[in-house]
Short mmCIF file of all heavy atoms in Angstrom, two decimals:
data_model
loop_
_atom_site.label_atom_id
_atom_site.label_comp_id
_atom_site.label_asym_id
_atom_site.label_seq_id
_atom_site.Cartn_x
_atom_site.Cartn_y
_atom_site.Cartn_z
N GLY D 267 100.95 31.32 52.88
CA GLY D 267 102.24 31.64 53.53
C GLY D 267 102.45 32.90 54.20
O GLY D 267 102.81 33.03 55.42
N LEU D 268 102.00 33.99 53.54
CA LEU D 268 102.11 35.31 54.06
C LEU D 268 101.24 35.51 55.23
O LEU D 268 101.57 36.20 56.27
CB LEU D 268 101.94 36.38 53.02
CG LEU D 268 102.17 37.78 53.54
CD1 LEU D 268 103.44 38.09 54.13
CD2 LEU D 268 102.02 38.78 52.37
N ALA D 269 99.94 34.98 55.19
CA ALA D 269 98.96 35.11 56.29
C ALA D 269 99.58 34.48 57.52
O ALA D 269 99.42 34.95 58.70
CB ALA D 269 97.63 34.44 55.84
N ASN D 270 100.14 33.17 57.35
CA ASN D 270 100.78 32.47 58.54
C ASN D 270 101.86 33.45 59.06
O ASN D 270 101.98 33.51 60.30
CB ASN D 270 101.29 31.20 58.08
CG ASN D 270 100.19 30.14 57.69
OD1 ASN D 270 99.03 30.32 58.34
ND2 ASN D 270 100.39 29.18 56.95
N MET D 271 102.79 34.08 58.17
CA MET D 271 103.79 34.88 58.77
C MET D 271 103.33 36.01 59.58
O MET D 271 103.68 36.41 60.57
CB MET D 271 104.60 35.43 57.62
CG MET D 271 105.58 34.48 56.93
SD MET D 271 106.31 35.14 55.43
CE MET D 271 106.92 36.69 56.09
N LEU D 272 102.16 36.60 58.98
CA LEU D 272 101.60 37.81 59.73
C LEU D 272 101.09 37.44 61.04
O LEU D 272 101.23 38.17 62.14
CB LEU D 272 100.49 38.45 58.84
CG LEU D 272 101.02 39.11 57.56
CD1 LEU D 272 99.85 39.70 56.81
CD2 LEU D 272 102.06 40.12 57.77
N THR D 273 100.40 36.25 61.13
CA THR D 273 99.83 35.79 62.47
C THR D 273 100.95 35.59 63.36
O THR D 273 100.84 35.93 64.58
CB THR D 273 99.06 34.46 62.19
OG1 THR D 273 97.95 34.83 61.23
CG2 THR D 273 98.57 33.97 63.38
N ALA D 274 101.96 34.82 62.91
CA ALA D 274 103.03 34.52 63.83
C ALA D 274 103.85 35.85 64.24
O ALA D 274 104.35 35.96 65.40
CB ALA D 274 104.09 33.65 63.17
N THR D 275 103.95 36.81 63.41
CA THR D 275 104.63 38.04 63.71
C THR D 275 103.83 38.85 64.77
O THR D 275 104.43 39.32 65.74
CB THR D 275 104.61 38.85 62.44
OG1 THR D 275 105.52 38.27 61.57
CG2 THR D 275 105.37 40.28 62.75
N LYS D 276 102.58 38.81 64.60
CA LYS D 276 101.66 39.45 65.66
C LYS D 276 101.81 38.81 67.02
O LYS D 276 101.83 39.48 68.14
CB LYS D 276 100.27 39.46 65.27
CG LYS D 276 99.89 40.44 64.01
CD LYS D 276 98.41 40.23 63.64
CE LYS D 276 98.19 41.11 62.43
NZ LYS D 276 96.71 40.81 61.97
N ALA D 277 101.93 37.47 67.04
CA ALA D 277 102.09 36.63 68.23
C ALA D 277 103.37 37.04 68.92
O ALA D 277 103.47 36.83 70.16
CB ALA D 277 101.99 35.15 67.91
N GLN D 278 104.31 37.47 68.17
CA GLN D 278 105.62 37.87 68.81
C GLN D 278 105.58 39.24 69.33
O GLN D 278 106.52 39.86 69.87
CB GLN D 278 106.77 37.76 67.85
CG GLN D 278 107.14 36.27 67.33
CD GLN D 278 107.64 35.47 68.46
OE1 GLN D 278 106.98 34.65 68.99
NE2 GLN D 278 108.89 35.85 68.94
N GLY D 279 104.38 39.97 69.13
CA GLY D 279 104.42 41.35 69.56
C GLY D 279 104.90 42.37 68.53
O GLY D 279 105.26 43.51 68.94
N ILE D 280 105.01 41.94 67.35
CA ILE D 280 105.69 42.80 66.40
C ILE D 280 104.64 43.35 65.38
O ILE D 280 103.74 42.54 65.00
CB ILE D 280 106.81 42.05 65.55
CG1 ILE D 280 107.80 41.45 66.48
CG2 ILE D 280 107.40 42.98 64.43
CD1 ILE D 280 108.48 42.49 67.27
N GLY D 281 104.78 44.63 64.97
CA GLY D 281 103.77 45.18 63.96
C GLY D 281 103.93 44.58 62.62
O GLY D 281 104.93 44.07 62.26
N VAL D 282 102.86 44.57 61.91
CA VAL D 282 102.88 44.11 60.58
C VAL D 282 102.53 45.08 59.40
O VAL D 282 102.10 44.82 58.30
CB VAL D 282 101.88 42.86 60.36
CG1 VAL D 282 102.23 41.74 61.30
CG2 VAL D 282 100.38 43.37 60.65
N GLU D 283 102.68 46.35 59.84
CA GLU D 283 102.33 47.49 58.87
C GLU D 283 103.04 47.45 57.55
O GLU D 283 102.66 47.95 56.62
CB GLU D 283 102.61 48.84 59.50
CG GLU D 283 101.80 49.13 60.81
CD GLU D 283 102.27 48.52 62.10
OE1 GLU D 283 103.31 47.85 62.05
OE2 GLU D 283 101.78 48.85 63.24
N LEU D 284 104.27 46.83 57.55
CA LEU D 284 105.08 46.81 56.38
C LEU D 284 104.64 45.84 55.44
O LEU D 284 104.76 45.97 54.09
CB LEU D 284 106.53 46.65 56.69
CG LEU D 284 107.25 47.74 57.39
CD1 LEU D 284 108.72 47.38 57.92
CD2 LEU D 284 107.23 49.02 56.67
N LEU D 285 104.15 44.74 55.89
CA LEU D 285 103.89 43.48 55.04
C LEU D 285 102.28 43.29 54.79
O LEU D 285 101.85 42.72 53.87
CB LEU D 285 104.46 42.24 55.52
CG LEU D 285 105.98 42.12 55.50
CD1 LEU D 285 106.51 40.81 55.99
CD2 LEU D 285 106.44 42.46 54.08
N ALA D 286 101.52 43.78 55.70
CA ALA D 286 100.02 43.59 55.67
C ALA D 286 99.49 44.13 54.21
O ALA D 286 98.68 43.45 53.64
CB ALA D 286 99.32 44.15 56.75
N PRO D 287 99.89 45.22 53.73
CA PRO D 287 99.42 45.62 52.50
C PRO D 287 99.57 44.73 51.23
O PRO D 287 98.83 44.59 50.34
CB PRO D 287 100.20 47.02 52.12
CG PRO D 287 100.49 47.46 53.56
CD PRO D 287 100.84 46.25 54.35
N LEU D 288 100.78 44.03 51.38
CA LEU D 288 101.14 42.94 50.26
C LEU D 288 100.04 41.87 50.41
O LEU D 288 99.66 41.38 49.42
CB LEU D 288 102.48 42.45 50.49
CG LEU D 288 102.97 41.37 49.42
CD1 LEU D 288 102.89 42.01 48.06
CD2 LEU D 288 104.32 40.91 49.82
N GLN D 289 99.65 41.54 51.61
CA GLN D 289 98.68 40.37 51.77
C GLN D 289 97.35 40.90 51.20
O GLN D 289 96.57 40.12 50.52
CB GLN D 289 98.40 40.11 53.22
CG GLN D 289 97.45 38.97 53.47
CD GLN D 289 97.78 37.58 52.97
OE1 GLN D 289 98.88 37.44 52.42
NE2 GLN D 289 96.95 36.57 53.22
N THR D 290 96.98 42.28 51.36
CA THR D 290 95.75 42.73 50.75
C THR D 290 95.83 42.64 49.28
O THR D 290 94.78 42.29 48.66
CB THR D 290 95.62 44.25 51.17
OG1 THR D 290 95.59 44.36 52.51
CG2 THR D 290 94.46 44.80 50.63
N LEU D 291 96.92 42.83 48.60
CA LEU D 291 97.10 42.76 47.09
C LEU D 291 96.89 41.38 46.74
O LEU D 291 96.21 41.08 45.71
CB LEU D 291 98.39 43.36 46.70
CG LEU D 291 98.70 44.83 46.90
CD1 LEU D 291 100.08 45.13 46.41
CD2 LEU D 291 97.59 45.67 46.17
N PHE D 292 97.46 40.40 47.37
CA PHE D 292 97.29 38.87 47.18
C PHE D 292 95.84 38.57 47.15
O PHE D 292 95.35 37.94 46.26
CB PHE D 292 98.05 38.13 48.16
CG PHE D 292 99.55 38.16 48.08
CD1 PHE D 292 100.38 37.38 49.04
CD2 PHE D 292 100.27 38.72 47.04
CE1 PHE D 292 101.75 37.44 48.87
CE2 PHE D 292 101.60 38.67 47.03
CZ PHE D 292 102.36 38.06 47.88
N GLU D 293 95.20 39.05 48.17
CA GLU D 293 93.70 38.63 48.38
C GLU D 293 92.86 39.21 47.32
O GLU D 293 91.95 38.70 46.83
CB GLU D 293 93.29 39.11 49.83
CG GLU D 293 93.85 38.23 50.88
CD GLU D 293 93.69 38.73 52.29
OE1 GLU D 293 92.95 39.93 52.36
OE2 GLU D 293 93.93 38.09 53.23
N SER D 294 93.24 40.41 46.84
CA SER D 294 92.50 41.00 45.77
C SER D 294 92.56 40.33 44.50
O SER D 294 91.65 40.10 43.82
CB SER D 294 93.06 42.54 45.50
OG SER D 294 92.51 43.18 44.34
N GLN D 295 93.81 39.93 44.14
CA GLN D 295 94.00 39.07 42.94
C GLN D 295 93.20 37.70 43.02
O GLN D 295 92.67 37.28 42.07
CB GLN D 295 95.48 38.85 42.66
CG GLN D 295 96.22 40.17 42.15
CD GLN D 295 95.67 40.51 40.77
OE1 GLN D 295 95.56 39.66 39.85
NE2 GLN D 295 95.34 41.79 40.64
N ILE D 296 93.27 37.15 44.13
CA ILE D 296 92.63 35.83 44.47
C ILE D 296 91.12 36.03 44.32
O ILE D 296 90.40 35.24 43.67
CB ILE D 296 92.97 35.16 45.74
CG1 ILE D 296 94.42 34.80 45.82
CG2 ILE D 296 92.04 34.07 46.16
CD1 ILE D 296 95.00 34.42 47.16
N ALA D 297 90.57 37.09 44.92
CA ALA D 297 89.18 37.35 44.69
C ALA D 297 88.71 37.54 43.29
O ALA D 297 87.59 37.29 42.95
CB ALA D 297 88.75 38.61 45.57
N GLN D 298 89.62 38.01 42.43
CA GLN D 298 89.20 38.10 41.05
C GLN D 298 89.58 36.80 40.22
O GLN D 298 89.33 36.87 38.94
CB GLN D 298 90.22 39.15 40.43
CG GLN D 298 90.14 40.59 41.01
CD GLN D 298 91.06 41.58 40.53
OE1 GLN D 298 91.36 41.56 39.23
NE2 GLN D 298 91.58 42.35 41.38
N GLY D 299 89.87 35.82 40.99
CA GLY D 299 89.92 34.56 40.28
C GLY D 299 91.36 34.15 39.77
O GLY D 299 91.48 33.27 38.91
N HIS D 300 92.42 34.83 40.27
CA HIS D 300 93.68 34.62 39.68
C HIS D 300 94.61 33.74 40.70
O HIS D 300 95.82 33.80 40.54
CB HIS D 300 94.36 35.91 39.34
CG HIS D 300 93.52 36.68 38.52
ND1 HIS D 300 93.11 36.30 37.23
CD2 HIS D 300 93.13 38.05 38.60
CE1 HIS D 300 92.44 37.34 36.59
NE2 HIS D 300 92.34 38.34 37.50
N GLY D 301 93.99 33.04 41.64
CA GLY D 301 94.80 32.32 42.64
C GLY D 301 95.78 31.44 42.10
O GLY D 301 96.87 31.15 42.77
N ALA D 302 95.48 30.81 40.98
CA ALA D 302 96.29 29.73 40.48
C ALA D 302 97.47 30.29 39.60
O ALA D 302 98.39 29.63 39.08
CB ALA D 302 95.53 28.82 39.56
N GLN D 303 97.52 31.71 39.49
CA GLN D 303 98.56 32.26 38.66
C GLN D 303 99.69 32.78 39.46
O GLN D 303 99.78 32.67 40.61
CB GLN D 303 97.86 33.45 37.83
CG GLN D 303 96.82 33.02 36.83
CD GLN D 303 96.48 34.03 35.86
OE1 GLN D 303 95.97 35.06 36.18
NE2 GLN D 303 96.52 33.73 34.54
N SER D 304 100.74 33.07 38.78
CA SER D 304 102.02 33.49 39.31
C SER D 304 101.86 34.70 40.31
O SER D 304 101.06 35.55 40.24
CB SER D 304 103.02 33.89 38.28
OG SER D 304 104.19 34.53 38.76
N LEU D 305 102.73 34.66 41.19
CA LEU D 305 102.87 35.67 42.20
C LEU D 305 103.10 37.06 41.55
O LEU D 305 102.64 38.09 42.08
CB LEU D 305 104.08 35.36 43.15
CG LEU D 305 104.54 36.36 44.21
CD1 LEU D 305 103.47 36.59 45.19
CD2 LEU D 305 105.81 35.94 44.92
N ALA D 306 103.66 37.05 40.42
CA ALA D 306 104.07 38.35 39.69
C ALA D 306 102.75 38.98 39.30
O ALA D 306 102.74 40.23 39.04
CB ALA D 306 104.82 37.94 38.40
N ARG D 307 101.61 38.27 39.22
CA ARG D 307 100.38 38.95 38.85
C ARG D 307 99.98 40.01 39.94
O ARG D 307 99.10 40.99 39.64
CB ARG D 307 99.26 38.01 38.64
CG ARG D 307 98.10 38.56 37.71
CD ARG D 307 96.95 37.51 37.52
NE ARG D 307 96.30 37.99 36.35
CZ ARG D 307 95.46 39.07 36.23
NH1 ARG D 307 95.31 39.85 37.31
NH2 ARG D 307 94.87 39.27 35.15
N THR D 308 100.54 40.07 40.98
CA THR D 308 100.29 41.06 42.07
C THR D 308 100.43 42.54 41.47
O THR D 308 99.68 43.39 41.89
CB THR D 308 101.19 40.88 43.37
OG1 THR D 308 101.07 39.53 43.76
CG2 THR D 308 100.87 41.79 44.39
N VAL D 309 101.31 42.58 40.53
CA VAL D 309 101.54 44.03 39.97
C VAL D 309 100.30 44.54 39.28
O VAL D 309 100.12 45.71 39.26
CB VAL D 309 102.67 43.94 38.88
CG1 VAL D 309 102.28 43.37 37.63
CG2 VAL D 309 103.28 45.34 38.73
N GLU D 310 99.40 43.63 38.84
CA GLU D 310 98.20 44.10 38.13
C GLU D 310 97.37 44.99 39.06
O GLU D 310 96.47 45.84 38.62
CB GLU D 310 97.43 42.96 37.60
CG GLU D 310 98.08 42.18 36.60
CD GLU D 310 98.40 42.94 35.26
OE1 GLU D 310 97.79 44.03 35.05
OE2 GLU D 310 99.37 42.58 34.49
N SER D 311 97.51 44.66 40.36
CA SER D 311 96.62 45.46 41.42
C SER D 311 97.26 46.83 41.60
O SER D 311 96.60 47.71 42.30
CB SER D 311 96.50 44.70 42.74
OG SER D 311 95.72 43.60 42.59
N LEU D 312 98.49 46.96 41.09
CA LEU D 312 99.19 48.32 41.47
C LEU D 312 99.20 49.28 40.10
O LEU D 312 99.47 50.44 40.26
CB LEU D 312 100.61 48.03 41.85
CG LEU D 312 100.77 47.37 43.15
CD1 LEU D 312 102.29 46.99 43.32
CD2 LEU D 312 100.41 48.31 44.29
N ARG D 313 98.97 48.62 39.00
CA ARG D 313 99.11 49.42 37.79
C ARG D 313 98.17 50.58 37.67
O ARG D 313 96.99 50.48 38.14
CB ARG D 313 98.84 48.47 36.57
CG ARG D 313 100.16 47.62 36.24
CD ARG D 313 100.01 46.77 34.99
NE ARG D 313 101.26 46.37 34.47
CZ ARG D 313 101.46 45.38 33.50
NH1 ARG D 313 100.31 44.84 32.95
NH2 ARG D 313 102.69 45.26 33.03
N ALA D 314 98.67 51.62 37.01
CA ALA D 314 97.76 52.81 36.94
C ALA D 314 96.42 52.49 36.21
O ALA D 314 96.52 51.86 35.20
CB ALA D 314 98.60 53.92 36.14
N GLY D 315 95.37 52.97 36.63
CA GLY D 315 94.12 52.79 35.95
C GLY D 315 93.47 51.42 36.31
O GLY D 315 92.44 51.14 35.77
N ARG D 316 94.11 50.73 37.23
CA ARG D 316 93.53 49.31 37.48
C ARG D 316 92.81 49.30 38.77
O ARG D 316 93.04 50.11 39.54
CB ARG D 316 94.72 48.27 37.54
CG ARG D 316 95.49 48.10 36.35
CD ARG D 316 94.75 47.70 35.12
NE ARG D 316 95.62 47.63 33.85
CZ ARG D 316 96.28 46.65 33.36
NH1 ARG D 316 96.14 45.45 34.12
NH2 ARG D 316 96.89 46.66 32.26
#
Side-chain angles (χ1 to χ4, degrees):
L268 183 53
N270 290 336
M271 284 174 51
L272 296 178
T273 298
T275 298
K276 291 176 184 177
Q278 292 295 109
I280 304 300
V282 296
E283 297 86 352
L284 293 174
L285 292 183
L288 182 59
Q289 180 69 0
T290 299
L291 297 178
F292 287 173
E293 291 171 352
S294 173
Q295 286 296 312
I296 291 170
Q298 295 174 45
H300 305 302
Q303 295 194 303
S304 168
L305 176 63
R307 203 183 199 287
T308 305
V309 76
E310 298 295 339
S311 291
L312 295 172
R313 280 182 159 169
R316 301 300 175 92

